Amino acid sequence: MRLPCSRLESLLWVSICVAAVAVNAQTAPPNPQPDSRFKVDILEIVAHPDDDIEVAAYVAQLIERQHKRVAVAYTTRGNSGGNAAGPEQSNALADIREMEARHSLASYGIVDAWFLGGSDTPGGDVLRSLERWGHGKTQEEIVRLVRLTRPEVILTWLPNYDVGENHEDHQAAGVLATDAFDLAANPLAFPAQVDAPRDRFNINNYGEGLRPWQPKKIYYFSDATNLDFAKGKGPEYQTQDISPSRKVPYSQVAAEAWGSYKTQNDFNDAQLKEFTEKPVRLIFGKSLVGGSVTGDIFEGMEPQPIGYVRARGYQPPPAGLALELGGPWAFYQAFWRAHNIEHLADLYPPQAQVAPGESLWVPLLIRNNTDSTKEVHLRATLPAGWGETPAADIYTIAPHDSYPVQLRITSLAKDKDTWKTLTWEGESDGRGIGSVTLRVDVVGNYLSQ
Ligand SMILES: [Zn+2]
């Protein structure tokens, strides 16, 4: 039988035990860090193979002179559209266009590109592309690529409708990129992506093993016919500087990169020269690290990662009655506010385009954010000779409901090449509830709504 220890003896034992633990202490293996081969400074998120050419003259300079790393995510493989190189269409065209993009990107130093499965959807309504691609599915894929490539800056299409650049796929790429900017650092967004693998060396593993990642800045670009609205809204980069390795201006580097897209027949040589010699004009989206609106995109950038920054999120409309443009216009108003990029609403007033003599879809939304049923009178002011269907002008809206008014507006052929202004006013119980104005470009060549 062991005798009870004295106090001194107990202390001695404790010291010996602690010393023994220290001698046997095991250091945990290092935490495996994200695969550095795929870390980039810039991730471009675009819709179609060849969209990258929009900023290629600038990006080629960054890669060659500043040794920046750039990758591209395409939300489609470009399975629609004409083929200037041969008879292939549909999935065969997509196979070709993916290869064209890889060759084009490689010509100025980009080797990492991912092509998602969205279908190339020509038109002007962003919500249709998101519907056809599967908004959630594509968002999950884009968030994964942001977490994998860990970009400091995201460059993407402008999430807005504007005359001359209204491709719904472009807009949808901008929407998804903005979503991903605000989601990728949130571990509750697609949590399986950031789940640590239980045994990464084993088969049948699960948990994707990515880390949450917060990009620092997002900028937009547009191929609108008239880019005056973007002047002073972000940095602008000239394209005449000479590439030290190629001994030609970066505009020509971009033009040669475009040469890989032989299926595309957008430009003749003169148009391509003009297009690539234009400055690359970016529109400031937001920055989480300071810097000015028109300053360099890497201004204020520090090398260390930053933590999650919560965007404002959805804000319900205020109480009362309201009249606004519906459809994609209503979506964008709420979307911009939710993502803290509401300044995009100030770039230009709502606009649309219509072929002369043809009809224009105008969705209006009457919101009744009150506790009682309301009757609203709608009054249109249209250009002389233009028509509107349906002819109804009294609408009844249930409490906390919205009435989507789907209007067909008929234009006049004689108004070709003019801008027209269309206005609607709403009134209830003798009081105005607001008005909306839409500027319409009457042009011969445009994407259908
Ligand atoms: Zn495109």
Side-chain angles (χ1 to χ4, degrees):
M1 186 180 169
R2 197 163 180 265
L3 294 171
C5 303
S6 70
R7 252 183 106 77
L8 184 62
E9 195 183 359
S10 298
L11 281 173
L12 200 62
W13 272 109
V14 167
S15 306
I16 289 166
C17 289
V18 168
V21 166
V23 167
N24 294 331
Q26 299 257 332
T27 305
N31 190 13
Q33 292 301 296
D35 194 329
S36 60
R37 293 174 298 168
F38 299 99
K39 167 82 180 85
V40 296
D41 298 292
I42 294 177
L43 179 63
E44 291 178 35
I45 299 173
V46 291
H48 311 118
D50 89 343
D51 288 355
D52 42 282
I53 298 296
E54 198 66 33
V55 291
Y58 166 56
V59 168
Q61 292 187 55
L62 283 178
I63 293 170
E64 186 174 14
R65 293 179 152 187
Q66 297 185 37
H67 309 291
K68 297 294 186 191
R69 298 176 63 182
V70 182
V72 185
Y74 298 89
T75 53
T76 80
R77 298 170 69 229
N79 54 297
S80 294
N83 181 354
E88 297 82 3
Q89 286 288 293
S90 188
N91 290 335
L93 179 61
D95 286 345
I96 292 174
R97 291 192 67 191
E98 178 174 336
M99 278 314 126
E100 287 180 337
R102 292 192 186 282
H103 287 241
S104 177
L105 295 174
S107 75
Y108 60 98
I110 299 178
V111 290
D112 292 331
W114 288 270
F115 296 79
L116 308 184
S119 190
D120 191 342
T121 310
D125 186 343
V126 60
L127 300 179
R128 183 166 42 203
S129 288
L130 293 172
E131 177 188 306
R132 288 198 63 188
W133 297 352
H135 191 164
K137 174 176 174 284
T138 316
Q139 190 180 73
E140 180 175 357
E141 291 172 322
I142 296 284
V143 168
R144 177 181 291 113
L145 289 174
V146 170
R147 286 169 171 168
L148 175 66
T149 60
R150 296 176 294 137
E152 308 298 316
V153 178
I154 288 177
L155 298 184
T156 188
W157 286 114
L158 181 67
N160 195 2
Y161 177 102
D162 66 46
V163 167
E165 195 296 294
N166 55 10
H167 200 302
E168 60 193 39
D169 288 347
H170 293 182
Q171 298 176 53
V175 164
L176 286 158
T178 307
D179 280 340
F181 186 98
D182 288 339
L183 285 175
N186 176 351
L188 293 181
F190 311 112
Q193 291 182 5
V194 293
D195 191 23
R198 293 188 187 184
D199 177 2
R200 70 189 174 100
F201 296 110
N202 208 343
I203 58 170
N204 291 334
N205 215 326
Y206 79 93
E208 292 191 34
L210 293 167
R211 308 280 216 284
W213 180 260
Q214 180 62 66
K216 294 168 182 161
K217 293 188 179 186
I218 184 166
Y219 290 86
Y220 302 108
F221 51 86
S222 164
D223 63 359
T225 327
N226 185 347
L227 264 181
D228 286 352
F229 69 83
K231 215 173 173 102
K233 306 296 186 195
E236 191 172 306
Y237 297 98
Q238 300 303 318
T239 63
Q240 292 92 355
D241 285 358
I242 304 294
S243 154
S245 65
R246 310 266 284 261
K247 317 288 185 217
V248 295
Y250 283 102
S251 58
Q252 197 174 324
V253 173
E256 288 170 13
W258 195 85
S260 293
Y261 291 109
K262 291 204 187 314
T263 56
Q264 300 287 324
N265 51 6
D266 298 3
F267 300 119
N268 58 37
D269 287 349
Q271 287 168 325
L272 182 60
K273 186 167 153 55
E274 188 191 337
F275 171 67
T276 52
E277 287 181 355
K278 280 190 311 192
V280 171
R281 195 172 275 173
L282 299 176
I283 298 161
F284 175 79
K286 61 179 167 177
S287 167
L288 305 178
V289 293
S292 59
V293 167
T294 54
D296 183 70
I297 67 169
F298 291 102
E299 184 182 75
M301 202 71 80
E302 298 292 338
Q304 66 271 19
I306 58 171
Y308 172 58
V309 177
R310 181 192 298 276
R312 184 183 294 128
Y314 173 67
Q315 306 265 293
L321 281 165
L323 172 68
E324 60 182 89
L325 281 166
W329 287 284
F331 162 71
Y332 276 132
Q333 289 294 334
F335 177 81
W336 296 328
R337 273 195 302 275
H339 291 279
N340 302 61
I341 50 171
E342 57 272 27
H343 60 277
L344 297 190
D346 303 328
L347 289 177
Y348 46 86
Q351 51 186 232
Q353 54 195 131
V354 65
E358 298 202 351
S359 67
L360 174 74
W361 167 65
V362 177
L364 301 179
L365 202 58
I366 309 172
R367 292 187 192 277
N368 177 11
N369 204 10
T370 76
D371 296 328
S372 55
T373 297
K374 297 287 183 187
E375 195 171 84
V376 170
H377 294 239
L378 211 54
R379 196 175 72 241
T381 307
L382 303 178
W386 287 37
E388 177 186 87
T389 54
D393 51 8
I394 301 174
Y395 294 85
T396 303
I397 307 110
H400 300 285
D401 195 14
S402 296
Y403 196 118
V405 183
Q406 308 279 4
L407 298 174
R408 264 288 136 203
I409 308 297
T410 318
S411 67
L412 286 185
K414 73 170 182 61
D415 289 330
K416 186 174 189 304
D417 297 329
T418 60
W419 280 85
K420 296 291 179 190
T421 301
L422 287 57
T423 306
W424 290 265
E425 288 168 281
E427 178 233 282
S428 182
D429 294 330
R431 283 199 305 273
I433 65 160
S435 69
V436 297
T437 297
L438 183 64
R439 296 188 66 238
V440 178
D441 189 13
V442 189
V443 288
N445 179 24
Y446 76 111
L447 281 168
S448 70
Q449 287 182 294

